[in-house]
Amino acid sequence: AVNKIDFFFRFINGMIEFDKKLRPILTSLQIQQRSLSKKHWIIFLISIFVYHFGFKYLHDLVRPLKETVYIVKIVNFLFLPPFILDYVVISSMCFFLHNLYVRFWMLNDLWKCLPAELVVDHDQWTHIEIVFFMEKTRLLHSELCELLKKFTLGFGPLLLAFFTFSYITLFVAIFFMISIHPLSSENFAEYIVDVIFNFLLNAQLIIFMMSIIVYVSLIDEQRTKIISYLRSYRISNLNMDVKKQIKMFMNQMSVSGLDQITAFGFFNINLNLVMSVSTF
C-alpha cells in the first residue's frame, strides 16, 4: 500500500514538474492551454455526488427499509448499490486521465508550430531553432509517456478491481432482472420499480466503464498522433540534424508503445476492450 501511495505522489509531482517545463513554451508561442478550470471540475464533482445522494434518497423513498437502527441505515447508504466508492473512483480517474489527455494534445499543438516540411524560415525559424525545438518536444513527450507508465503502475490494481467488480455486478443484476418475476399482480408494481432501479444502476456502471475506456483511447490516440507528423516528412530532403531528431523520436515512440494504460497488466484499457467484450 505504501508503494502505491508513493507512485501516486510521484505521479502528481511529475505532472507539476512537466507543467513547469511546458508552460513557458506554450506562453512564448501563444498556444492555448487545453485544460478544464477548477470551476468546471467543482461543478462536475458536485453534479456526480448530487446524483448519487439523490438516487439513494429516491430509492429509499420509494422502497423504504423496515424500521431499523440508525447504524444499519448508514451501512445501507454507504455499502449497498449504488456504491459511493464507484463515484470516488470514476471522478478521480476522469480527473487524472483528462490531465494526461490534454497534455498530449498540447504537445501535438507544439509540433504543429514547426514550419512546413521542417524547412528553414529565416523570418521565424532558423535551423538551430528547429532542431532545438524538436529535441525539446521529444523530451517532453518522453517525460509524459513516463508519467503514463507511473499512472498505470499506481492505478492499475484499482482499475482491475473496478472493472472486475463492475462486470460481476452487471452480470448479477442482469441475471436477477431476467430470472425473477412477480409472484402475483400485487407485487407487480414493486417488481417494476426494482427493474427500473436495476436498469439505472446497470446504465450507470456501463457509463462509468465507458468513460474510462473512451478517455484512455483518446489518450492513446493523442500519444501516437505525433507518428503521423513524423512519417509525413520527406526524410531525403531534410538536414542531417533534423533526420537524427526524427529517427530518435521514432525509436522513442516504438519503445513508449509498450507504456499503455492497463488493468494491472491483465488487459489494455482502450476501445479494443469494448470490441472484445462485444465479440464475447
Side-chain angles (χ1 to χ4, degrees):
V2 175
N3 192 29
K4 298 303 178 186
I5 295 175
D6 180 57
F7 270 122
F8 174 77
F9 285 108
R10 284 167 58 187
F11 174 76
I12 297 297
N13 291 331
M15 294 285 280
I16 295 173
E17 292 299 321
F18 179 84
D19 287 343
K20 289 180 180 179
K21 299 174 184 177
L22 180 63
R23 193 173 294 112
I25 305 175
L26 296 175
T27 304
S28 62
L29 295 174
Q30 298 181 345
I31 298 176
Q32 181 183 3
Q33 296 190 26
R34 302 179 182 273
S35 58
L36 292 177
S37 64
K38 292 181 180 179
K39 179 181 177 181
H40 288 102
W41 280 114
I42 291 173
I43 293 174
F44 169 74
L45 290 174
I46 291 176
S47 300
I48 198 170
F49 283 104
V50 165
Y51 168 78
H52 169 71
F53 292 116
F55 187 95
K56 294 287 287 188
Y57 176 77
L58 182 62
H59 184 269
D60 293 340
L61 191 65
V62 176
R63 296 296 304 275
L65 293 174
K66 297 179 180 179
E67 292 187 8
T68 184
V69 293
Y70 188 71
I71 188 65
V72 175
K73 292 183 178 180
I74 295 178
V75 171
N76 170 65
F77 188 81
L78 293 176
F79 299 106
L80 289 182
F83 304 107
I84 191 171
L85 186 60
D86 288 346
Y87 293 84
V88 175
V89 170
I90 195 65
S91 57
S92 59
M93 288 295 104
C94 285
F95 175 77
F96 291 121
L97 290 173
H98 178 80
N99 278 279
L100 285 169
Y101 167 67
V102 295
R103 280 158 179 78
F104 276 112
W105 192 356
M106 286 188 288
L107 283 183
N108 288 325
D109 289 341
L110 281 183
W111 194 267
K112 293 177 184 177
C113 293
L114 286 168
E117 297 298 329
L118 302 179
V119 177
V120 174
D121 183 356
H122 295 287
D123 294 332
Q124 294 182 335
W125 292 91
T126 64
H127 169 69
I128 296 177
E129 288 175 339
I130 291 175
V131 174
F132 181 73
F133 188 84
M134 291 177 68
E135 182 176 8
K136 185 177 291 187
T137 306
R138 178 179 62 81
L139 293 176
L140 285 173
H141 196 280
S142 175
E143 186 174 341
L144 195 54
C145 287
E146 283 297 316
L147 288 174
L148 189 65
K149 185 176 181 180
K150 289 179 182 178
F151 178 87
T152 298
L153 292 174
F155 292 91
L158 179 61
L159 287 170
L160 176 62
F162 176 75
F163 274 87
T164 301
F165 285 109
S166 294
Y167 277 119
I168 292 173
T169 303
L170 275 175
F171 289 135
V172 171
I174 292 173
F175 170 77
F176 281 112
M177 287 177 63
I178 295 175
S179 60
I180 297 179
H181 301 283
L183 299 176
S184 64
S185 58
E186 297 177 356
N187 298 327
F188 186 75
E190 295 182 0
Y191 169 75
I192 293 298
V193 171
D194 288 337
V195 168
I196 292 174
F197 277 106
N198 283 333
F199 176 80
L200 291 175
L201 282 174
N202 293 341
Q204 169 191 296
L205 282 176
I206 292 172
I207 291 173
F208 283 176
M209 289 190 291
M210 286 300 300
S211 298
I212 294 178
I213 292 170
V214 170
Y215 249 130
V216 173
S217 299
L218 291 173
I219 289 174
D220 191 61
E221 178 185 348
Q222 290 295 331
R223 183 181 65 86
T224 57
K225 193 174 184 179
I226 196 73
I227 297 178
S228 62
Y229 299 140
L230 296 173
R231 289 176 176 172
S232 65
Y233 301 123
R234 296 181 179 179
I235 303 295
S236 58
N237 299 333
L238 298 177
N239 184 277
M240 186 60 66
D241 293 330
V242 176
K243 288 181 182 179
K244 183 179 179 181
Q245 286 296 326
I246 292 178
K247 184 177 180 181
M248 292 172 65
F249 214 146
M250 292 295 289
N251 291 335
Q252 175 181 302
M253 289 299 300
S254 63
V255 174
S256 65
L258 302 175
D259 298 331
Q260 298 185 28
I261 298 179
T262 66
F264 205 42
F266 281 83
F267 53 81
N268 294 337
I269 302 175
N270 50 39
L271 289 179
N272 292 331
L273 174 64
V274 181
M275 298 303 296
S276 61
V277 171
S278 301
T279 304
F280 175 77

